[in-house]
C-alpha cells in the first residue's frame, strides 16, 4: 500500500494468544479515517496501484489498511483462483437490505493467527465505495465476497472477528 510492500510479518496482530487481552495499541482498535482524494495517501497522480497490494494478499484473501498500521479506510480483497486480481475498495460502506438473510462462513484473520471460527453475517447488502481514481461505485456483493468485505470493514471500525465469539470461547483462543 502506498508503494510499500507488505508481507505477513508486517501485519499487526490484535490477539496475543494464551487467552490474553487484545494488544493495547489504541490505533488498532479505533475507527479509521476516510481518505480524501487530495490526501497524502491518495492523489490522482500517484495513487495506489493494484500491484502494490497484491503481496499482502498473498498471505490471505483480504487485508485492511489498519492491519498494516495505516488508519485510512481502504481494503483490498482478492478472491480469484490465482490470487492475481486484487480489488481495492476506498471508503467502503454498506447497508443491510434484508436483515433476515444470512451466510455463515469459517473465517480466519491475519491479525488473529491460528484462529478460525464460523461467523454469521448478513448476505444481502448494498455496498458503496470509491475506486483509486475516486470514482463512486455501488454493488450488491454475494457469497465469499460479501463475507470478506464485511470482515475487512470491521477492521476499519476497530473490530476483529473475535468480537463475534463468546467470552468463554475467547479464553481458549
Ligand atoms: Ni482480518
Amino acid at each position: 500500500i502506498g508503494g510499500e510492500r507488505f508481507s505477513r510479518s508486517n501485519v499487526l496482530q490484535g490477539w496475543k494468544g494464551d487467552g490474553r487481552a487484545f494488544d493495547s495499541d489504541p490505533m488498532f482498535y479505533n475507527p479509521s479515517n476516510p481518505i480524501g482524494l487530495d490526501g497524502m495517501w491518495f492523489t490522482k497522480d500517484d495513487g495506489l496501484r493494484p500491484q502494490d497490494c497484491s503481496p499482502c494478499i498473498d498471505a490471505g484473501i483480504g487485508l485492511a489498511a489498519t492491519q498494516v498500521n495505516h488508519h485510512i479506510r481502504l481494503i483490498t480483497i482478492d478472491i480469484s483462483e490465482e490470487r492475481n486480481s486484487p480489488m481495492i475498495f476506498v471508503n467502503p460502506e454498506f447497508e443491510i437490505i434484508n436483515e433476515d438473510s444470512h451466510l455463515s462462513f469459517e473465517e480466519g484473520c491475519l491479525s488473529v493467527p491460528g484462529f478460525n471460527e464460523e461467523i454469521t453475517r448478513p448476505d444481502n447488502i448494498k455496498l458503496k465505495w470509491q475506486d483509486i481514481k475516486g470514482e463512486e461505485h455501488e454493488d450488491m456483493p454475494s457469497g465469499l465476497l460479501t463475507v470478506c468485505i464485511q470482515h475487512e470493514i470491521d477492521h476499519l471500525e476497530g473490530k476483529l472477528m473475535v468480537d463475534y465469539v463468546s467470552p468463554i470461547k475467547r479464553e481458549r483462543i
Side-chain angles (χ1 to χ4, degrees):
I1 296 175
E4 295 172 59
R5 298 260 162 182
F6 292 103
S7 66
R8 189 180 284 269
S9 59
N10 294 107
V11 175
L12 294 181
Q13 296 184 352
W15 189 258
K16 287 176 183 293
D18 307 327
R20 281 184 294 152
F22 293 110
D23 196 311
S24 56
D25 179 2
M27 288 296 278
F28 196 33
Y29 298 101
N30 286 338
S32 301
N33 301 313
I35 307 174
L37 294 185
D38 53 356
M40 66 182 254
W41 276 99
F42 194 74
T43 69
K44 284 183 174 153
D45 297 332
D46 185 21
L48 292 160
R49 297 174 304 161
Q51 58 266 38
D52 292 329
C53 294
S54 46
C56 55
I57 292 178
D58 287 344
I61 55 177
L63 197 81
T66 325
Q67 291 177 274
V68 287
N69 212 15
H70 292 295
H71 297 272
I72 54 175
R73 298 189 75 85
L74 184 146
I75 63 178
T76 64
I77 292 175
D78 190 346
I79 53 171
S80 67
E81 192 101 346
E82 318 255 282
R83 297 282 185 272
N84 59 3
S85 306
M87 296 174 275
I88 300 176
F89 300 86
V90 176
N91 298 324
E93 55 185 68
F94 68 91
E95 65 178 288
I96 299 168
I97 303 297
N98 180 355
E99 298 271 358
D100 298 323
S101 182
H102 295 101
L103 178 64
S104 294
F105 190 83
E106 189 173 315
E107 299 183 22
C109 181
L110 292 171
S111 295
V112 191
F115 180 68
N116 292 295
E117 181 71 17
E118 189 168 294
I119 293 174
T120 301
R121 297 181 186 272
D123 74 340
N124 192 346
I125 63 170
K126 184 158 85 179
L127 178 76
K128 289 182 177 178
W129 75 98
Q130 290 163 266
D131 61 29
I132 56 173
K133 294 190 180 123
E135 305 273 328
E136 311 247 352
H137 298 271
E138 197 176 292
D139 199 3
M140 293 184 59
S142 62
L144 179 58
L145 185 56
T146 197
V147 170
C148 273
I149 283 168
Q150 291 176 60
H151 176 117
E152 303 308 337
I153 290 177
D154 276 349
H155 278 299
L156 303 184
E157 303 295 343
K159 193 169 179 184
L160 291 177
M161 53 177 280
V162 289
D163 292 318
Y164 293 91
V165 175
S166 74
I168 294 170
K169 237 179 187 173
R170 272 198 201 193
E171 302 233 328
R172 293 198 226 114
I173 296 172

